[in-house]
Amino acid sequence: MFEFRIQRTAGPARAGTLTLPHGEVKTPAFMPVGTHAVVRGLSAHDVRRTGAQIILGNTYHLHLRPGEEVIQQMGGLHRFTTWDRPMLTDSGGFQVFSLQGLRSIAEHGVEFQSHIDGTSRTLTPERAMEIQWQLGADIAMAFDHVVPGQSSPTAACEGMERTLRWLDRCKARHAELADGRTGGQSLWPIIQGGIHDELRMRSLEGTLERGPWTGIAIGGLSVGEPKPVMHRILERLEPSLPKEIPRYLMGVGFPADLLEGIARGIDLFDCVAATRNGRHGTAWLPTGRVNVRGASLKGSTEPLDPTCDCETCTTYSRGYLRHLFVVEDMLGLRLISIHNIRFLVRLGELARTHILNGTFDGWTREWLGRHYARGD
Amino acid sequence: MFEFRIQRTAGPARAGTLTLPHGEVKTPAFMPVGTHAVVRGLSAHDVRRTGAQIILGNTYHLHLRPGEEVIQQMGGLHRFTTWDRPMLTDSGGFQVFSLQGLRSIAEHGVEFQSHIDGTSRTLTPERAMEIQWQLGADIAMAFDHVVPGQSSPTAACEGMERTLRWLDRCKARHAELADGRTGGQSLWPIIQGGIHDELRMRSLEGTLERGPWTGIAIGGLSVGEPKPVMHRILERLEPSLPKEIPRYLMGVGFPADLLEGIARGIDLFDCVAATRNGRHGTAWLPTGRVNVRGASLKGSTEPLDPTCDCETCTTYSRGYLRHLFVVEDMLGLRLISIHNIRFLVRLGELARTHILNGTFDGWTREWLGRHYARGD
């Protein structure tokens, strides 16, 4: 079960419908991150109530705890978590390459030490496929060689070329696991190449040569490079990206990043910022960010965001939310995370509506204009 | 709006219906504790789903944060918390008397230092009434002089007699605040007297002389004395307690304490053990306690308690709950707290059903027999 239909476009921006084994995803869409088989602090019911249509699981973390064998024996990631809608797992590449000093890279794969118990582990393209197969998400990601944010052309080229060679191995192993059956888990490749346009284009060409694919991801962005550089690369890639498959910009983003990405043809996003900010008491509002601990919220009976339809904004007052942070009750963390996720999910819904109505360009320009004028 | 009707009895045990300004409470009933205007980690919706009919707020904590003025300005404790069912507030007596070394007691009241910021505060019978009036719960508790668990007859007598003198002042101030209006907040007195039967009886007599009351509480138990002592005192008091009003055993308890209390004529209970145990990963089951971190739960697809109808047991597996504690996600704390509260609420519901069906004695004996045989 895999289908992607585009309902309407607005320049590069697209309103589509992605059909996966566990259901439909109306795009553009934000995917909350469920690092440890849980969107931090939230029940599957909480996440469903935000309108999220698809969530992400982290292969690296799930491999360490509880282990893919345990999850498979318990019926897969969907049954384990009780999340019954579509799910995507990353390959673990981003996490193991982030383990500076705890990992060594070779053509075969990456040896690393668990950050939990120090045990030695190896992740290869084949293992990344096997683990994700056992987890059983709708979409598995290829195992990629991720280089630091502003790597030299030489380092970025090495990572990009290895990612292509590893893609061959991922594709072969994934095909073996699928064993001719269709309609199950899809494998999506990842474009690398750092901040270097020509490397990015070569990565895209090499990736497409190895296709066809049912979706394509852009990795290694939003890792410290200036925003205009990310925008430039998206603009450079966009005309050459296949129109008929969804595009996923990995690890992005903050509210403005979503709109900037959608305007450049991106369909899917994921980022931990919504929940991380939520746990720190920072809420995203149409009028800018607010720290929920702030004294100005004391005694306020107003909702956090009067324009928001989330559980937090339709139920609780600013004064009560502030009180929960003051007394350090974990309900506060949860309620702000719920709001921030709903904020991004709703931004995707709004963008989609404006694309369908033919009003996307004006709306985005106005939204981003207000955003940048505030200097958020 | 205040009414208490008894539907049926089984010896001292009673099945009743208490009608309060914010709704009905079918008794016997457990009241979850919302220390800081929140049942720790749970939303009002979570608590409603446990079947809890009434919750408790702590005057001491709410006086310090956010302050009764703030809550009153925001429309009272019900609007502040969004808890729309009945609520009871304690008087702060238990908390301020627990501030060893930070408080001085006089006939006028108690001077104490805030455990939050060290500021000097005074709580008197009158102030306790005023704060609770501003909080606006359905039931306010009298300000009592609480003595340590196994105090001498002299110390226990002093506390008991002062509690009676303070009760006069509470009653007078509460009447002034009510200003002739009926149907609003009720004031309930507290019986003290430590572990000394005669003092307990004198406390009860003195309390009833100052009545009539719409309910009566027994305080200063379950504070370190042996369980048989608590049971003896309850048995001694019971025949002299007015039949027509609800009886509330403060700060009790654990599952067996509920049944022991109900069998001795108690209608209402409160205790933080359900949520405190939940946060530490200890779940109460009909088969005894279980630590959710235990290795035996790994990979289990069974519900925590197959006989339980709570959100946790009807949604998640033991293996997933264990995983949440292993990765230290706060969802785990919440889910076990929900189960433990539901366990106590349901124990009240079951006791009520058995009283109504005329099967209470046999059922309680069997339940407690199994419990004590396990040595829980």
Side-chain angles (χ1 to χ4, degrees):
Chain A
M1 179 68 86
F2 191 97
E3 194 180 72
F4 184 61
R5 289 172 183 267
I6 293 177
Q7 275 80 49
R8 188 161 177 184
T9 58
R14 305 120 60 83
T17 304
L18 173 62
T19 306
L20 294 165
H22 287 88
E24 273 191 359
V25 181
K26 302 281 188 188
T27 64
F30 169 71
M31 306 187 282
V33 180
T35 307
H36 295 104
V38 54
V39 177
R40 198 107 12 132
L42 304 190
S43 70
H45 179 72
D46 289 337
V47 182
R48 274 191 294 270
R49 280 187 67 175
T50 67
Q53 308 170 80
I54 175 169
I55 65 170
L56 188 142
N58 282 127
T59 286
Y60 169 80
H61 291 289
L62 297 173
H63 168 64
L64 296 182
R65 298 183 301 188
E68 61 278 7
E69 297 290 345
V70 171
I71 291 178
Q72 187 181 35
Q73 280 160 22
M74 291 181 68
L77 202 46
H78 281 90
R79 284 195 55 192
F80 184 59
T81 58
T82 79
W83 175 260
D84 52 3
R85 297 180 186 174
M87 216 180 299
L88 176 152
T89 42
D90 68 7
S91 64
F94 183 80
Q95 272 81 20
V96 295
F97 281 95
S98 305
L99 293 169
Q100 294 285 356
L102 293 173
R103 48 97 175 129
S104 66
I105 308 163
E107 186 61 21
H108 176 62
V110 182
E111 275 189 51
F112 64 97
Q113 283 182 277
S114 157
H115 77 284
I116 302 297
D117 60 9
T119 52
S120 280
R121 314 258 177 158
T122 304
L123 208 49
T124 64
E126 290 80 9
R127 281 293 293 137
M129 291 301 99
E130 291 156 8
I131 296 170
Q132 290 183 81
W133 188 263
Q134 288 179 280
L135 296 175
D138 301 72
I139 299 165
M141 298 305 301
F143 188 62
D144 54 342
H145 183 152
V146 184
V147 295
Q150 309 217 28
S151 293
S152 67
T154 312
C157 183
E158 187 195 340
M160 182 274 283
E161 290 185 339
R162 177 165 287 139
T163 297
L164 287 176
R165 291 192 299 274
W166 282 358
L167 181 57
D168 288 327
R169 291 165 57 189
C170 286
K171 190 181 176 186
R173 186 68 188 123
H174 196 262
E176 278 174 17
L177 292 163
D179 196 21
R181 285 162 296 188
T182 56
Q185 187 180 70
S186 291
L187 170 63
W188 287 7
I190 303 173
I191 295 169
Q192 290 290 351
I195 53 173
H196 311 289
D197 292 18
E198 290 317 307
L199 294 178
R200 285 281 174 181
M201 290 306 292
R202 279 177 50 202
S203 178
L204 173 56
E205 285 154 23
T207 299
L208 295 181
E209 281 165 15
R210 288 162 171 84
W213 307 104
T214 59
I216 194 164
I218 302 168
L221 289 177
S222 198
V223 287
E225 79 285 358
K227 298 277 183 195
V229 171
M230 175 166 85
H231 299 162
R232 189 194 73 219
I233 290 169
L234 294 180
E235 287 163 16
R236 184 67 198 279
L237 288 171
E238 199 280 327
S240 305
L241 289 168
K243 302 285 175 220
E244 68 280 8
I245 61 173
R247 299 117 171 221
Y248 161 31
L249 179 56
M250 303 182 81
V252 174
F254 283 77
D257 298 330
L258 245 70
L259 289 197
E260 298 280 15
I262 293 167
R264 289 169 179 83
I266 299 297
D267 305 299
L268 293 167
F269 303 83
D270 80 282
C271 190
V272 295
T275 40
R276 184 170 291 162
N277 275 272
R279 291 198 304 280
H280 296 153
T282 300
W284 291 331
L285 307 180
T287 51
R289 286 179 303 186
V290 65
N291 188 314
V292 177
R293 287 185 185 80
S296 68
L297 279 73
K298 187 166 184 172
S300 168
T301 56
E302 296 299 309
L304 182 59
D305 174 359
T307 70
C308 179
D309 57 4
C310 81
E311 180 186 356
T312 306
C313 293
T314 55
T315 312
Y316 298 99
S317 63
R318 290 179 157 224
Y320 186 65
L321 294 170
R322 176 180 190 270
H323 171 71
L324 293 175
F325 273 85
V326 168
V327 300
E328 296 177 357
D329 193 282
M330 61 185 181
L331 176 61
L333 288 51
R334 166 179 159 204
L335 292 176
I336 306 302
S337 293
I338 285 173
H339 168 75
N340 283 350
I341 289 177
R342 177 65 192 142
F343 190 80
L344 289 187
V345 166
R346 198 151 151 265
L347 208 52
E349 292 172 2
L350 287 169
R352 180 180 165 84
T353 301
H354 283 290
I355 295 168
L356 292 174
N357 292 345
T359 52
F360 179 74
D361 287 352
W363 173 75
T364 307
R365 209 175 308 116
E366 201 191 326
W367 196 103
L368 289 172
R370 281 198 311 271
H371 174 81
Y372 293 121
R374 282 194 306 267
D376 265 5
Chain B
M1 177 68 81
F2 190 98
E3 194 180 69
F4 184 62
R5 288 171 184 267
I6 293 177
Q7 276 81 48
R8 188 159 176 186
T9 58
R14 305 122 57 85
T17 303
L18 174 61
T19 306
L20 294 164
H22 288 88
E24 272 191 0
V25 181
K26 302 280 188 188
T27 63
F30 169 72
M31 306 188 281
V33 181
T35 307
H36 297 103
V38 56
V39 176
R40 200 115 0 139
L42 305 190
S43 70
H45 179 71
D46 291 335
V47 182
R48 275 191 293 269
R49 280 188 64 176
T50 68
Q53 307 169 79
I54 174 170
I55 64 171
L56 187 141
N58 282 128
T59 287
Y60 168 80
H61 291 288
L62 296 173
H63 168 64
L64 295 183
R65 298 183 300 186
E68 62 277 7
E69 297 290 345
V70 170
I71 291 179
Q72 186 180 36
Q73 280 160 23
M74 291 180 69
L77 202 46
H78 281 89
R79 284 195 54 191
F80 185 57
T81 59
T82 79
W83 175 260
D84 51 3
R85 297 180 185 174
M87 217 180 296
L88 177 152
T89 41
D90 68 6
S91 65
F94 183 81
Q95 272 80 19
V96 296
F97 281 95
S98 305
L99 293 170
Q100 294 286 356
L102 293 173
R103 47 100 176 126
S104 65
I105 307 163
E107 187 61 22
H108 175 63
V110 181
E111 275 191 51
F112 65 97
Q113 283 182 278
S114 157
H115 77 284
I116 303 296
D117 61 7
T119 51
S120 279
R121 314 261 177 154
T122 304
L123 207 50
T124 64
E126 291 80 9
R127 279 293 292 137
M129 292 300 100
E130 291 157 8
I131 295 170
Q132 291 183 83
W133 188 262
Q134 287 179 281
L135 296 175
D138 300 73
I139 300 165
M141 298 305 302
F143 188 62
D144 53 343
H145 182 153
V146 184
V147 296
Q150 309 218 29
S151 293
S152 67
T154 312
C157 183
E158 187 194 340
M160 182 273 286
E161 291 184 338
R162 178 167 284 140
T163 297
L164 287 175
R165 292 194 298 275
W166 282 358
L167 182 57
D168 288 327
R169 290 166 56 190
C170 285
K171 189 180 177 186
R173 184 68 187 122
H174 195 261
E176 278 176 17
L177 291 163
D179 195 21
R181 286 162 296 187
T182 56
Q185 186 181 71
S186 291
L187 169 64
W188 287 7
I190 303 173
I191 295 168
Q192 290 291 351
I195 54 173
H196 310 288
D197 293 18
E198 291 317 306
L199 294 178
R200 285 282 174 181
M201 290 306 292
R202 279 177 51 202
S203 178
L204 173 56
E205 286 154 23
T207 299
L208 295 180
E209 281 166 14
R210 289 163 172 82
W213 307 105
T214 59
I216 194 164
I218 302 168
L221 288 178
S222 198
V223 287
E225 79 284 359
K227 298 277 183 193
V229 171
M230 175 166 85
H231 300 162
R232 188 195 72 219
I233 290 168
L234 294 180
E235 286 162 17
R236 183 69 200 275
L237 288 171
E238 198 282 327
S240 304
L241 288 168
K243 302 286 175 219
E244 67 280 8
I245 61 172
R247 300 119 171 219
Y248 161 31
L249 180 55
M250 303 182 82
V252 175
F254 283 76
D257 298 331
L258 245 70
L259 290 197
E260 297 280 14
I262 293 167
R264 289 167 178 84
I266 300 297
D267 306 299
L268 293 167
F269 303 84
D270 80 281
C271 191
V272 295
T275 41
R276 184 171 290 163
N277 275 272
R279 292 198 303 280
H280 296 152
T282 298
W284 292 329
L285 307 180
T287 52
R289 286 179 302 185
V290 65
N291 188 315
V292 178
R293 287 186 187 80
S296 67
L297 279 73
K298 187 165 183 173
S300 169
T301 55
E302 296 299 308
L304 182 59
D305 174 358
T307 70
C308 179
D309 58 2
C310 81
E311 179 186 356
T312 305
C313 294
T314 56
T315 312
Y316 298 99
S317 63
R318 288 178 158 225
Y320 186 65
L321 294 171
R322 175 181 190 269
H323 171 73
L324 293 175
F325 274 86
V326 168
V327 300
E328 297 178 356
D329 194 283
M330 61 184 180
L331 176 61
L333 288 50
R334 167 178 158 204
L335 292 176
I336 306 303
S337 293
I338 285 173
H339 167 75
N340 284 349
I341 289 177
R342 177 65 191 142
F343 190 81
L344 289 187
V345 166
R346 198 151 150 264
L347 208 53
E349 292 172 1
L350 286 169
R352 179 179 165 85
T353 301
H354 283 289
I355 295 167
L356 292 174
N357 292 347
T359 52
F360 179 75
D361 287 351
W363 172 76
T364 307
R365 211 176 306 117
E366 201 191 327
W367 196 103
L368 289 172
R370 281 198 311 272
H371 175 82
Y372 292 121
R374 282 194 306 268
D376 267 7

Coordinates of all heavy atoms in Angstrom, one line a residue, chain B residues 275-321:
Chain B
T275 N -0.2 8.2 43.8 CA 0.6 8.9 42.9 C 2.1 8.8 43.2 O 2.9 8.7 42.4 CB 0.2 10.4 42.8 OG1 -0.1 10.9 44.1 CG2 -1.1 10.5 41.9
R276 N 2.4 8.8 44.5 CA 3.8 8.7 44.9 C 4.4 7.3 44.5 O 5.5 7.2 43.9 CB 4.0 8.9 46.4 CG 5.4 8.9 46.9 CD 5.5 9.3 48.4 NE 5.2 10.7 48.5 CZ 4.9 11.3 49.7 NH1 4.9 10.6 50.8 NH2 4.7 12.6 49.8
N277 N 3.6 6.3 44.8 CA 4.1 4.9 44.3 C 4.1 4.9 42.8 O 5.0 4.3 42.2 CB 3.1 3.9 44.8 CG 3.4 3.4 46.2 OD1 4.2 2.5 46.4 ND2 2.8 4.1 47.2
G278 N 3.2 5.5 42.2 CA 3.2 5.5 40.7 C 4.4 6.1 40.1 O 5.0 5.6 39.2
R279 N 4.8 7.3 40.7 CA 6.0 7.9 40.2 C 7.3 7.1 40.4 O 8.2 7.2 39.7 CB 6.2 9.3 40.9 CG 5.1 10.3 40.4 CD 5.5 11.7 40.7 NE 5.9 12.0 42.1 CZ 5.0 12.2 43.1 NH1 3.7 12.1 42.8 NH2 5.4 12.4 44.3
H280 N 7.2 6.2 41.5 CA 8.4 5.4 41.7 C 8.3 4.0 41.0 O 9.1 3.1 41.2 CB 8.6 5.2 43.2 CG 8.9 6.5 43.9 ND1 8.6 6.7 45.2 CD2 9.5 7.6 43.5 CE1 9.0 7.9 45.6 NE2 9.5 8.5 44.5
G281 N 7.2 3.9 40.2 CA 7.1 2.7 39.4 C 6.5 1.5 40.1 O 6.6 0.4 39.6
T282 N 5.9 1.7 41.3 CA 5.2 0.6 42.0 C 3.7 0.7 41.7 O 3.0 1.7 42.0 CB 5.4 0.8 43.5 OG1 6.8 0.7 43.8 CG2 4.7 -0.3 44.2
A283 N 3.2 -0.4 41.1 CA 1.8 -0.5 40.7 C 1.1 -1.4 41.7 O 1.7 -2.5 42.1 CB 1.7 -1.0 39.3
W284 N -0.1 -1.1 42.0 CA -0.9 -2.0 42.9 C -1.8 -2.9 42.0 O -2.5 -2.4 41.1 CB -1.9 -1.1 43.8 CG -1.1 -0.3 44.8 CD1 0.0 -0.7 45.4 CD2 -1.5 0.9 45.4 NE1 0.4 0.3 46.3 CE2 -0.5 1.3 46.3 CE3 -2.6 1.8 45.2 CZ2 -0.6 2.5 47.0 CZ3 -2.7 2.9 45.9 CH2 -1.7 3.3 46.8
L285 N -1.7 -4.1 42.3 CA -2.5 -5.1 41.5 C -3.3 -6.0 42.5 O -3.0 -6.1 43.7 CB -1.6 -6.0 40.7 CG -0.6 -5.4 39.8 CD1 0.3 -6.4 39.1 CD2 -1.2 -4.4 38.8
P286 N -4.4 -6.6 42.0 CA -5.1 -7.5 42.9 C -4.3 -8.6 43.4 O -4.5 -9.2 44.5 CB -6.2 -8.1 42.0 CG -6.3 -7.1 40.9 CD -5.0 -6.5 40.7
T287 N -3.2 -8.9 42.7 CA -2.3 -10.0 43.1 C -1.1 -9.5 43.9 O -0.1 -10.2 44.2 CB -1.8 -10.7 41.9 OG1 -1.3 -9.8 41.0 CG2 -2.9 -11.5 41.2
G288 N -1.1 -8.2 44.3 CA 0.0 -7.7 45.1 C 0.7 -6.6 44.3 O 0.4 -6.3 43.1
R289 N 1.7 -6.0 44.9 CA 2.5 -4.9 44.3 C 3.4 -5.4 43.2 O 4.0 -6.5 43.4 CB 3.2 -4.1 45.3 CG 2.4 -3.2 46.2 CD 3.2 -2.5 47.2 NE 3.9 -3.4 48.0 CZ 4.7 -3.1 49.1 NH1 4.8 -1.8 49.4 NH2 5.3 -4.0 49.8
V290 N 3.7 -4.6 42.2 CA 4.7 -5.0 41.2 C 5.6 -3.7 40.9 O 5.0 -2.6 40.9 CB 4.1 -5.6 40.0 CG1 3.3 -4.5 39.2 CG2 5.2 -6.1 39.0
N291 N 6.9 -3.9 40.8 CA 7.7 -2.8 40.4 C 7.8 -2.9 38.9 O 8.3 -3.9 38.3 CB 9.1 -2.9 41.0 CG 9.9 -1.6 40.7 OD1 9.9 -1.2 39.5 ND2 10.5 -1.0 41.7
V292 N 7.4 -1.8 38.2 CA 7.2 -1.8 36.8 C 8.6 -1.9 36.1 O 8.7 -2.2 34.9 CB 6.4 -0.6 36.3 CG1 6.3 -0.5 34.8 CG2 5.0 -0.7 37.0
R293 N 9.7 -1.5 36.8 CA 11.0 -1.6 36.2 C 11.5 -3.1 36.1 O 12.5 -3.3 35.5 CB 12.0 -0.8 37.1 CG 11.9 0.7 37.0 CD 13.0 1.3 37.8 NE 12.9 2.7 37.8 CZ 12.0 3.4 38.6 NH1 11.3 2.7 39.5 NH2 11.9 4.7 38.6
G294 N 10.8 -4.0 36.8 CA 11.3 -5.4 36.9 C 11.6 -6.0 35.6 O 10.8 -5.9 34.6
A295 N 12.7 -6.8 35.5 CA 13.1 -7.5 34.3 C 12.0 -8.5 33.8 O 11.9 -8.7 32.6 CB 14.4 -8.3 34.5
S296 N 11.2 -9.0 34.7 CA 10.1 -9.9 34.3 C 9.1 -9.3 33.4 O 8.4 -10.0 32.7 CB 9.5 -10.5 35.5 OG 8.7 -9.5 36.2
L297 N 9.0 -8.0 33.4 CA 8.0 -7.4 32.5 C 8.5 -7.2 31.1 O 7.8 -6.9 30.2 CB 7.6 -6.0 33.1 CG 6.5 -6.1 34.2 CD1 7.1 -6.5 35.5 CD2 5.9 -4.7 34.4
K298 N 9.8 -7.3 30.9 CA 10.4 -7.0 29.6 C 9.8 -7.9 28.5 O 9.7 -9.1 28.7 CB 11.9 -7.3 29.6 CG 12.6 -6.9 28.3 CD 14.1 -6.8 28.5 CE 14.8 -6.3 27.2 NZ 16.2 -6.0 27.3
G299 N 9.3 -7.3 27.5 CA 8.8 -8.0 26.3 C 7.4 -8.6 26.6 O 6.8 -9.2 25.7
S300 N 6.8 -8.3 27.7 CA 5.4 -8.8 28.0 C 4.4 -8.0 27.3 O 4.3 -6.8 27.3 CB 5.1 -8.8 29.5 OG 3.8 -9.1 29.7
T301 N 3.5 -8.7 26.5 CA 2.4 -8.0 25.8 C 1.1 -8.0 26.7 O 0.1 -7.5 26.2 CB 2.1 -8.7 24.5 OG1 1.8 -10.1 24.7 CG2 3.3 -8.6 23.5
E302 N 1.2 -8.6 27.9 CA 0.1 -8.6 28.8 C -0.2 -7.2 29.3 O 0.7 -6.4 29.5 CB 0.3 -9.5 30.0 CG 0.5 -11.0 29.6 CD -0.7 -11.5 28.9 OE1 -1.8 -11.4 29.5 OE2 -0.6 -12.1 27.8
P303 N -1.5 -6.9 29.7 CA -1.8 -5.7 30.4 C -1.2 -5.7 31.8 O -1.0 -6.8 32.4 CB -3.3 -5.6 30.4 CG -3.8 -6.9 30.1 CD -2.7 -7.7 29.4
L304 N -1.0 -4.6 32.4 CA -0.5 -4.5 33.8 C -1.4 -5.3 34.7 O -0.9 -6.1 35.5 CB -0.4 -3.0 34.2 CG 0.1 -2.7 35.6 CD1 1.6 -3.2 35.7 CD2 0.1 -1.2 35.8
D305 N -2.7 -5.0 34.6 CA -3.7 -5.7 35.5 C -4.8 -6.1 34.5 O -5.6 -5.2 34.2 CB -4.1 -4.8 36.6 CG -5.2 -5.3 37.4 OD1 -5.7 -6.5 37.1 OD2 -5.7 -4.7 38.4
P306 N -4.9 -7.3 34.2 CA -6.0 -7.7 33.2 C -7.4 -7.5 33.7 O -8.3 -7.4 32.9 CB -5.7 -9.2 32.9 CG -4.7 -9.6 33.9 CD -4.1 -8.5 34.6
T307 N -7.6 -7.3 35.0 CA -8.9 -7.1 35.6 C -9.3 -5.6 35.7 O -10.4 -5.3 36.1 CB -9.0 -7.7 37.0 OG1 -8.2 -6.9 37.9 CG2 -8.5 -9.1 37.0
C308 N -8.3 -4.7 35.3 CA -8.5 -3.3 35.5 C -9.0 -2.6 34.2 O -8.6 -3.0 33.1 CB -7.2 -2.7 35.9 SG -7.3 -0.9 36.2
D309 N -9.9 -1.6 34.4 CA -10.5 -0.9 33.2 C -9.9 0.5 33.0 O -10.4 1.3 32.3 CB -12.0 -0.8 33.4 CG -12.4 -0.1 34.7 OD1 -11.5 0.3 35.4 OD2 -13.6 0.0 34.9
C310 N -8.7 0.7 33.6 CA -8.1 2.1 33.5 C -7.5 2.3 32.1 O -7.2 1.3 31.4 CB -7.1 2.4 34.6 SG -5.5 1.7 34.3
E311 N -7.2 3.5 31.8 CA -6.5 3.8 30.5 C -5.2 3.0 30.3 O -5.0 2.5 29.2 CB -6.2 5.3 30.4 CG -5.5 5.8 29.1 CD -5.1 7.2 29.2 OE1 -5.4 7.9 30.2 OE2 -4.4 7.6 28.2
T312 N -4.4 2.9 31.3 CA -3.2 2.3 31.3 C -3.3 0.8 30.9 O -2.7 0.2 30.0 CB -2.4 2.4 32.6 OG1 -2.3 3.8 32.9 CG2 -1.0 1.8 32.6
C313 N -4.2 0.1 31.7 CA -4.4 -1.3 31.5 C -5.1 -1.7 30.3 O -4.9 -2.8 29.7 CB -5.0 -1.9 32.8 SG -4.0 -1.8 34.2
T314 N -6.0 -0.8 29.8 CA -6.7 -1.2 28.5 C -6.0 -0.7 27.3 O -6.4 -1.0 26.2 CB -8.1 -0.5 28.5 OG1 -7.9 0.9 28.7 CG2 -9.0 -1.0 29.7
T315 N -4.9 0.0 27.4 CA -4.2 0.5 26.2 C -2.8 -0.1 26.1 O -2.4 -0.5 25.0 CB -4.1 2.0 26.3 OG1 -5.3 2.6 26.7 CG2 -3.6 2.6 25.0
Y316 N -2.0 -0.2 27.2 CA -0.6 -0.4 27.1 C -0.2 -1.8 27.6 O -0.9 -2.4 28.5 CB 0.2 0.6 27.8 CG 0.0 2.0 27.2 CD1 -0.9 2.9 27.7 CD2 0.7 2.3 26.0 CE1 -1.1 4.2 27.1 CE2 0.4 3.6 25.4 CZ -0.4 4.5 26.0 OH -0.7 5.7 25.4
S317 N 0.9 -2.3 27.2 CA 1.4 -3.6 27.6 C 2.4 -3.4 28.8 O 3.0 -2.3 28.9 CB 2.2 -4.3 26.5 OG 3.3 -3.6 26.1
R318 N 2.6 -4.4 29.6 CA 3.6 -4.4 30.6 C 5.0 -4.1 30.0 O 5.8 -3.3 30.6 CB 3.7 -5.8 31.3 CG 2.5 -6.0 32.2 CD 2.6 -7.4 32.8 NE 1.8 -7.4 34.0 CZ 2.1 -8.0 35.2 NH1 3.2 -8.6 35.3 NH2 1.3 -7.9 36.2
G319 N 5.3 -4.7 28.9 CA 6.6 -4.4 28.2 C 6.8 -3.0 27.9 O 7.9 -2.5 28.0
Y320 N 5.8 -2.3 27.4 CA 5.9 -0.9 27.0 C 6.0 -0.1 28.3 O 6.8 0.9 28.3 CB 4.7 -0.5 26.2 CG 4.8 0.9 25.6 CD1 5.8 1.2 24.7 CD2 4.0 1.9 26.0 CE1 5.9 2.5 24.2 CE2 4.1 3.2 25.5 CZ 5.0 3.5 24.6 OH 5.2 4.8 24.1
L321 N 5.3 -0.4 29.3 CA 5.3 0.4 30.6 C 6.7 0.3 31.2 O 7.3 1.3 31.6 CB 4.3 -0.1 31.6 CG 2.8 0.1 31.2 CD1 1.9 -0.6 32.1 CD2 2.5 1.6 31.1

